[in-house]
Amino acid sequence: MYKAVPAQIDLPAMEHQILHLWDRESVFERSVTQAQGRPLWTFYEGPPTANGTPGAHHVEARVFKDIFPRYRTMKGYFVPRQAGWDCHGLPVELAVERELGFSGKQDIEEYGIAEFNAKCRESVLRHVDEFTAMSERMGFWVDTDTAYWTMNPDYIESVWWSLKTIFDRGLLVQDHRVAPYCPRCGTGLSDHELAQGYETVVDPSVYVQFPVASGPLAEKYPGVSLLVWTTTPWTLVANTAVAVKPDATYAVVRSDGHQFIVAEELIAHVFGEADVEILERLPGTELERTGYHRPFDLVDIPDAHFVILADYVTTDDGTGLVHQAPAFGADDLQTCRAYGLPVVNPIAANGHFDDSIPLVGGQFFKKADETLTHDLKTRGLLFRRDPYEHSYPHCWRCHTPLMYYAQPSWYVKTTAKKDELLEQNEATNWYPPTIKWGRYGDWLTNNVDWALSRNRYWGTPLPIWRCPDDHLTAVGSLAELSKLAGSDVSSLDPHRPFVDEVTISCPTCGQQAGRVPEVIDCWYDSGAMPFAALGYPHRNEDAFHERYPADFICEAIDQTRGWFYSLMAIGTLVFDQSSYKNVVCLGHILDEDGRKMSKHLGNVLEPIPLMDDHGADAVRWFMLASGSPWQARRVGHAAIADVVRRTLLTYWNTVSFQSLYARTAQWQPSDGAPDLHTRPLIDQWLISEAHRLARDVDDALENFDTQRGGRILAAFVDDLSNWYVRRSRRRFWDGDPAALATLHEALRIVTLCMAPYTPFITERVWQDLFRPTDDTAPDSVHLASWPTSDPLIINDDLGEQMALVRRVVELGRAARASSSVRTRQPLSRALVSAPGWSELPDQLVAEVAEELNVRSVDPLGEEAGLVDVSVKPNFRELGSRFGKATPGIARAISEADPTTLVDTIRSRGQATVMVDSAEVEVLPADVIIAESPREGWAVASDSEDSVAIDLHIDEDLRRAGLAREIVRSIQETRKGAGLDITDRINVSWTSADPDIAAVFDVHGSEISGEVLAISLVSVHQADGFLVTTDLPVEIRLQRA
RNA sequence: GGGCCUAUAGCUCAGCUCGGUUAGAGCGCUUCCCUGAUAAGGAAGAGGUCGAUGGUUCAAGUCCAUCUAGGCCCA
């Protein structure tokens, strides 16, 4: 027997019960272990940074990381799901710094690196628990027991091995470059970190006059100035040169009594409405070597301050003259080096101007903008100053504006492998596909070397040792290090500061070598997880080769330059093959107003409260099926509550309905049921649709399309509830085994198909309906296989016929609604005109009659003279045959007499119309024929179908309507009295109205049957429940 | 400045791959119906220049180009 399934359900409470069930019966573990030995389907879990608390966007990614492994497991694959935690990196350090109230690296060093790193480790452990709790609550099945931690020594050793491999290939090098640098964190940032942190800010943009000091122009135009534009006034202190575009035209102009040199194209941009007189035009090349007075004379920069040529200068913005500070710009450095100019950097590593510098000494670089601008103004050198809104890179975690800063750094030469990377990308399936050549491909095409090193503490130490003669030794494991060090360090914590204390003798020269001070970018850690998670190559060699590359990874779109890149880059560099084949790339989650969720705005949706409000299933369904996963989506309580109402509760109601009537009838699935072919057509239809469902959802998930699968599932649930159950209710009341068996099977299939989407409610249903009634059923829906779809059972013709039935019913309902006759009132007949109607089986015609409450439904065509015929051209057909002539022929068809045209086409199979005095043949397919009845009918039509209902009510019909009204009133009273649907009753009635007496006389047994009355007598009763009705009758009922 | 995405009803979104003459759904609103799934269900109504312009075509929400606005990413 089924378990009793209440109509009302508290979804979140039910989910907590299911969580206990899974835990008690180790369902997840069994779902994995029972699949061992089956074909492998590999999923890599991208490790969340164990820093801070999880948000709604984490839920999004995890829903997708869950559904496909569940689906593949049901499809017979072995899908190991190893969790992982990204432990290292700046975010963790920053959180700890905040906790300890530190303001920079100096504080950390005073505190002690060992102690600081111990705090970092603690912090990681704390946050991991929150992620684990969230994952469990949402039903994300991932194995946390075997989780990889990027801070574990095994993991670090694997990372070392890969770095040594890259080093040995000559692709890991140290270089001095201008790179983005966070002065607060005291470290450079890689390009993909840079990508995380662009913020729109308003900076002062200043136009500064640099008086010309030497060269021909100085003599010709005394007092003329170069007009230079910059958005980083602080770099003016280090001004070394001014660059111009060699092939651009520059102009000497006079405005307001002053003379300036500026790019001709930009005169209007610079001077606006002001009067400008052009004194001379000259190419950029002629400005070369023109000397000028620099704006600030604060630091010593010898042999500098003249105009140089550079191709990268543009005349799109500013003045066409670009200020050069080689310490603070990659382009600047390259250009100035070519002219042999010195590189002077007045700013210390902490981002503050050197104390010894006048005016700005000790100031933070950004803060100096104000001081310097003010000073320029006082000295009359500031031509103009505008606020300038642009996006400027900020540190992705601490939000400090970055400086481009010349610094030594270690690089992975990814540019040397660019072609291979592009090749690997070519072989990767992106969902959505546009990412491949769009966002990600574009990024790869513009690839720059990976700035790998960080001058920080809590990270994987760069495993390179250097001797006094600069011989470099890369070390691939602790065992290797032991050998080189001449002492056993195999149980050493490979983190700083311990590893820093290990010295080796240089294999080249024998001198003592120490480790370089840097740690590495934590994106490298996570990108190394395909092998490092298994400790490869030091351990698990077979497992690694089996599981590489992954069949599937999934993250949000912000990872294109993050994890998606680091995985592919490391895979390509180390194994010559990317580490994933399919990648699902999700859009961001926005708040209800379409804004990004952020702590600043206070619009962050906390995942656990959200799931405790609506249920994890609802949140999951929303993420998977509501809107397009690739697109940024708005999420809010209203949208999720809608999912519950529309999909989950409809499904649940159907289950509850089935349970109620199966239990009432003492029916169980093992009782057997009539052969499908002998069941009513609607049963055959439902089973056919269920098999179609299994096929189509399978296909959608095979193609990573959860949205399509969700749409199909939702449509099926709607069919199930609002058509099959609605139409078949009476059979359930009667305990018809065919109906019960049909709905049982349909529910089984839809439950299995929905299980990967909404694992909780489907598990509840499995436990209530399927597990108790089938000894062979697995203990959990998640231990079951995907339902097989039998192509022989899928009946397309029946599907189309049922679609027609539903279309006609809809029109019929509309027709009835347009009249003032209630649906409860039976009517004599409806007439239908629709293509395919005449072939419709009687059973389906009967469905229409019952649904519309009419005694017969007939084809409209039989009623000659009753109908108006209209003919419309079928453009699709005409267009393909007649092309340009289509409009004329269409007009001719519309203007022809429809009755004659249709008669001719029907009798002869074709007709002719006159177009420009030529005859054109019209075939049946060229026209759309619609028929509708004339006066006296309620009619509704759409393009091709129409339904007409005879509104004439005779005595018979009227009394049948009264009987229905009496039945309805009694049912209402039964319900109000709290009777069970199976309770039998005694009914008594009295009425002075002969009409009412006649109703009871003719319809008495029908009424009794409907309301489960064992007696129906005409006597006056004083007790019992009084039935409320507008009819002139007093009815009372009592429980029998 | 570059790349990508988006623009359809008051709101949230389908439809566009593959062009066809009445552009759909849900929510919300109004009216009505049904009621043995009932704190459900159904029907009707109001609500659309399918972002703009130009082009291709017999025919454009759909294809092409340009533009505008918003978003994401990069310079």
Side-chain angles (χ1 to χ4, degrees):
Chain A
M1 279 272 275
Y2 289 154
K3 292 197 177 147
V5 178
Q8 307 297 325
I9 182 173
D10 177 346
L11 292 170
M14 175 278 289
E15 291 178 352
H16 283 287
Q17 289 170 5
I18 295 297
L19 286 170
H20 285 126
L21 173 84
W22 287 342
D23 189 44
R24 198 166 59 239
E25 303 198 8
S26 309
V27 178
F28 171 43
E29 291 77 359
R30 286 161 67 199
S31 83
V32 177
T33 50
Q34 82 172 17
Q36 258 163 5
R38 297 185 193 162
L40 192 73
W41 195 76
T42 317
F43 153 69
Y44 289 160
E45 156 74 341
T49 308
N51 163 70
T53 49
H57 57 291
H58 289 107
V59 177
E60 185 196 27
R62 295 181 154 235
V63 170
F64 283 83
K65 291 172 178 188
D66 189 59
I67 185 173
F68 295 113
R70 281 181 189 269
Y71 160 71
R72 291 284 168 174
T73 301
M74 291 181 84
K75 291 283 288 177
Y77 289 90
F78 173 45
V79 189
R81 275 161 271 182
Q82 186 184 16
W85 306 109
D86 197 6
C87 308
H88 288 143
L90 212 45
V92 181
E93 291 195 35
L94 290 180
V96 172
E97 276 194 67
R98 264 198 305 276
E99 243 169 70
L100 297 173
F102 289 178
S103 63
K105 291 168 78 173
Q106 208 180 344
D107 290 338
I108 297 171
E109 308 226 338
E110 279 167 16
Y111 184 75
I113 296 172
E115 291 75 11
F116 180 77
N117 277 354
K119 287 277 183 196
C120 289
R121 185 186 296 270
E122 271 172 37
S123 161
V124 166
L125 295 172
R126 247 189 346 255
H127 289 113
V128 161
D129 289 344
E130 293 181 50
F131 271 90
T132 306
M134 188 267 285
S135 299
E136 270 175 24
R137 177 63 189 90
M138 62 174 284
F140 175 37
W141 276 1
V142 67
D143 185 0
T144 47
D145 293 340
T146 61
Y148 62 91
W149 301 68
T150 61
M151 66 183 180
N152 280 356
D154 289 0
Y155 195 99
I156 290 175
E157 279 193 289
S158 289
V159 172
W160 278 8
W161 165 80
S162 68
L163 287 168
K164 181 183 161 75
T165 305
I166 292 171
F167 179 85
D168 289 346
R169 294 182 173 193
L171 297 172
L172 177 56
V173 297
Q174 194 177 27
D175 197 4
H176 292 252
R177 300 189 190 179
V178 171
Y181 174 87
C182 175
R184 206 220 69 92
C185 302
T187 186
L189 279 80
S190 70
D191 254 53
H192 37 278
E193 280 176 307
L194 192 67
Q196 320 280 314
Y198 272 80
E199 290 176 22
T200 298
V201 292
V202 177
D203 276 327
S205 102
V206 294
Y207 295 77
V208 185
Q209 299 169 50
F210 288 17
V212 173
S214 66
L217 290 168
E219 289 161 29
K220 199 165 166 190
Y221 304 102
V224 69
S225 292
L226 304 172
L227 202 51
V228 174
W229 181 73
T230 180
T231 56
T232 52
W234 59 272
T235 58
L236 288 171
V237 175
N239 175 268
T240 305
V242 168
V244 299
K245 190 176 173 67
D247 55 358
T249 304
Y250 288 82
V252 180
V253 301
R254 177 160 38 217
S255 175
D256 199 21
H258 296 277
Q259 295 174 12
F260 305 98
I261 298 172
V262 64
E264 188 184 10
E265 277 181 56
L266 288 161
I267 289 173
H269 171 78
V270 173
F271 295 95
E273 304 286 300
D275 280 341
V276 178
E277 185 189 349
I278 298 180
L279 306 176
E280 182 177 347
R281 293 184 177 81
L282 66 167
T285 44
E286 279 188 31
L287 289 169
E288 194 179 12
R289 301 266 170 197
T290 301
Y292 65 88
H293 294 296
R294 61 172 169 165
F296 296 103
D297 215 1
L298 306 174
V299 293
D300 193 27
I301 305 180
D303 308 320
H305 308 115
F306 51 85
V307 175
I308 60 179
L309 303 178
D311 286 317
Y312 76 86
V313 175
T314 70
T315 50
D316 299 328
D317 210 345
T319 61
L321 290 95
V322 178
H323 139 71
Q324 300 285 294
F328 306 118
D331 291 328
D332 302 25
L333 180 64
Q334 198 187 356
T335 314
C336 290
R337 266 186 182 164
Y339 279 86
L341 288 160
V343 179
V344 174
N345 185 351
I347 296 184
N350 64 5
H352 291 70
F353 277 95
D354 200 276
D355 285 337
S356 63
I357 298 171
L359 193 63
V360 292
Q363 280 194 31
F364 190 60
F365 75 98
K366 262 293 184 199
K367 287 259 167 66
D369 280 349
E370 205 47 48
T371 316
L372 293 165
T373 310
H374 182 77
D375 186 69
L376 286 171
K377 194 174 176 189
T378 330
R379 290 189 285 128
L381 293 174
L382 187 66
F383 171 76
R384 201 170 116 194
R385 175 201 173 145
D386 302 320
Y388 182 72
E389 191 183 88
H390 62 150
S391 67
Y392 188 84
H394 286 62
C395 182
W396 63 303
R397 285 297 172 171
C398 75
H399 299 285
T400 303
L402 300 178
M403 339 166 23
Y404 284 83
Y405 192 79
Q407 61 202 299
S409 186
W410 292 86
Y411 288 87
V412 175
K413 290 170 72 176
T414 50
T415 47
K417 289 279 181 182
K418 187 166 135 182
D419 293 345
E420 288 85 340
L421 283 167
L422 287 167
E423 225 170 85
Q424 291 299 317
N425 184 40
E426 181 70 29
T428 305
N429 298 315
W430 285 87
Y431 300 90
T434 49
I435 307 278
K436 180 178 189 162
W437 290 116
R439 185 175 288 225
Y440 188 75
D442 183 50
W443 154 259
L444 274 189
T445 310
N446 298 311
N447 186 259
V448 297
D449 287 341
W450 184 347
L452 184 74
S453 58
R454 300 286 178 277
N455 300 305
R456 295 293 306 190
Y457 311 97
W458 180 238
T460 298
L462 187 64
I464 290 179
W465 271 255
R466 192 203 316 258
C467 76
D469 283 348
D470 280 344
H471 298 132
L472 300 175
T473 308
V475 176
S477 68
L478 286 169
E480 205 177 315
L481 185 61
S482 300
K483 220 175 275 172
L484 288 163
S487 65
D488 182 14
V489 294
S490 56
S491 54
L492 179 84
D493 175 358
H495 284 100
R496 296 188 68 189
F498 314 108
V499 69
D500 299 339
E501 290 156 15
V502 179
T503 56
I504 64 171
S505 82
C506 176
T508 312
C509 64
Q511 294 184 83
Q512 194 183 59
R515 198 186 70 84
V516 301
E518 290 93 348
V519 298
I520 66 166
D521 182 2
C522 62
W523 289 105
Y524 189 98
D525 285 353
S526 54
M529 65 72 53
F531 52 94
L534 295 167
Y536 178 88
H538 312 301
R539 23 190 103 64
N540 293 321
E541 190 155 350
D542 291 344
F544 166 72
H545 286 296
E546 272 168 31
R547 296 186 197 176
Y548 190 94
D551 290 297
F552 163 68
I553 62 169
C554 168
E555 301 292 337
I557 194 162
D558 55 347
Q559 293 297 331
T560 35
R561 291 139 210 253
W563 196 53
F564 294 152
Y565 173 67
S566 66
L567 270 181
M568 188 180 284
I570 295 171
T572 306
L573 256 55
V574 177
F575 301 105
D576 301 312
Q577 186 189 9
S578 175
S579 48
Y580 52 92
K581 293 189 269 195
N582 298 293
V583 48
V584 171
C585 190
L586 304 171
H588 279 125
I589 293 294
L590 308 173
D591 75 1
E592 273 169 307
D593 303 320
R595 295 172 306 177
K596 219 170 161 174
M597 286 190 193
S598 79
K599 281 178 190 159
H600 308 298
L601 292 170
N603 59 352
V604 174
L605 273 183
E606 296 285 343
I608 290 190
L610 190 67
M611 291 188 282
D612 282 339
D613 271 4
H614 306 283
D617 278 341
V619 175
R620 290 174 64 111
W621 186 276
F622 176 85
M623 299 289 184
L624 294 166
S626 231
S628 171
W630 328 127
Q631 250 163 262
R633 285 180 293 170
R634 302 178 181 199
V635 60
H637 288 277
I640 293 174
D642 199 45
V643 168
V644 172
R645 205 185 50 72
R646 259 170 64 202
T647 308
L648 299 183
L649 288 186
T650 308
Y651 166 70
W652 182 259
N653 280 337
T654 310
V655 170
S656 167
F657 179 91
Q658 167 79 349
S659 164
L660 176 63
Y661 290 104
R663 286 168 60 88
T664 304
Q666 303 274 308
W667 177 86
Q668 30 191 345
S670 56
D671 292 350
D675 187 72
L676 183 58
H677 299 291
T678 67
R679 292 186 214 169
L681 281 175
I682 196 168
D683 289 6
Q684 297 182 33
W685 167 79
L686 184 67
I687 297 298
S688 160
E689 291 305 304
H691 279 253
R692 190 194 306 278
L693 173 82
R695 182 191 69 190
D696 292 350
V697 175
D698 188 19
D699 182 67
L701 292 182
E702 187 77 36
N703 291 293
F704 297 96
D705 193 344
T706 58
Q707 185 193 19
R708 196 174 98 227
R711 257 209 310 273
I712 296 166
L713 278 164
F716 183 81
V717 166
D718 191 64
D719 283 352
L720 193 61
S721 166
N722 291 326
W723 185 248
Y724 181 77
V725 170
R726 177 191 169 81
R727 282 299 335 132
S728 312
R729 272 189 285 214
R730 195 159 295 267
R731 295 168 59 207
F732 286 88
W733 306 340
D734 298 342
D736 175 4
L740 289 162
T742 301
L743 187 51
H744 176 83
E745 175 63 2
L747 282 172
R748 190 185 68 85
I749 292 176
V750 71
T751 297
L752 288 166
C753 293
M754 250 168 77
Y757 281 80
T758 53
F760 294 95
I761 195 169
T762 51
E763 181 72 296
R764 179 75 269 151
V765 170
W766 190 261
Q767 299 299 326
D768 289 347
L769 258 47
F770 301 100
R771 192 179 180 188
T773 56
D774 179 1
D775 292 341
T776 64
D779 293 347
S780 159
V781 69
H782 305 295
L783 297 171
S785 300
W786 190 261
T788 47
S789 171
D790 183 349
L792 296 176
I793 290 179
I794 299 177
N795 184 339
D796 289 338
D797 292 342
L798 185 55
E800 277 168 32
Q801 288 182 328
M802 194 60 89
L804 171 61
V805 165
R806 296 184 69 177
R807 225 161 47 231
V808 167
V809 163
E810 243 176 68
L811 285 173
R813 283 201 281 244
R816 288 205 69 137
S818 70
S819 73
S820 54
V821 182
R822 301 184 140 193
T823 314
R824 207 181 299 144
Q825 173 63 55
L827 292 172
S828 63
R829 62 175 181 167
L831 301 180
V832 174
S833 160
W837 180 259
S838 53
E839 292 88 57
L840 211 62
D842 290 346
Q843 267 189 35
L844 297 186
V845 174
E847 297 286 352
V848 175
E850 229 179 279
E851 186 65 21
L852 297 181
N853 199 14
V854 294
R855 293 197 166 153
S856 70
V857 184
D858 301 311
L860 183 55
E862 312 287 310
E863 305 286 325
L866 263 182
V867 284
D868 285 327
V869 178
S870 70
V871 176
K872 291 197 299 181
N874 181 354
F875 280 93
R876 188 189 288 269
E877 197 63 32
L878 293 172
S880 65
R881 272 178 56 211
F882 298 109
K884 272 193 198 210
T886 305
I889 295 165
R891 205 176 315 116
I893 290 172
S894 303
E895 285 166 1
D897 174 55
T899 314
T900 319
L901 188 64
V902 169
D903 283 351
T904 316
I905 289 179
R906 280 190 175 152
S907 55
R908 299 195 197 140
Q910 65 174 71
T912 51
V913 291
M914 295 300 290
V915 181
D916 297 337
S917 58
E919 283 195 352
V920 175
E921 204 170 82
V922 177
L923 301 174
D926 295 337
V927 292
I928 296 167
I929 301 167
E931 297 175 312
S932 56
R934 295 175 182 164
E935 293 303 302
W937 299 71
V939 184
S941 356
D942 64 13
S943 59
E944 286 190 272
D945 312 324
S946 61
V947 175
I949 293 173
D950 187 346
L951 293 175
H952 179 70
I953 301 169
D954 62 16
E955 274 303 280
D956 251 20
L957 291 168
R958 198 174 61 80
R959 287 187 180 145
L962 290 174
R964 284 279 287 253
E965 178 63 32
I966 289 165
V967 168
R968 193 193 63 84
S969 308
I970 294 175
Q971 301 289 32
E972 194 97 320
T973 309
R974 281 188 59 123
K975 197 170 75 190
L979 268 61
D980 193 81
I981 56 152
T982 55
D983 285 340
R984 308 289 143 151
I985 55 171
N986 292 312
V987 179
S988 61
W989 63 273
T990 52
S991 175
D993 190 328
D995 210 28
I996 295 288
V999 170
F1000 277 104
D1001 193 35
V1002 177
H1003 298 284
S1005 63
E1006 181 196 326
I1007 294 172
S1008 300
E1010 287 286 305
V1011 303
L1012 299 184
I1014 54 177
S1015 72
L1016 176 65
V1017 290
S1018 173
V1019 291
H1020 182 75
Q1021 273 275 359
D1023 29 307
F1025 298 103
L1026 179 65
V1027 174
T1028 318
T1029 168
D1030 293 337
L1031 301 175
V1033 60
E1034 182 179 314
I1035 306 173
R1036 286 185 182 269
L1037 63 87
Q1038 282 183 307
R1039 189 178 311 195

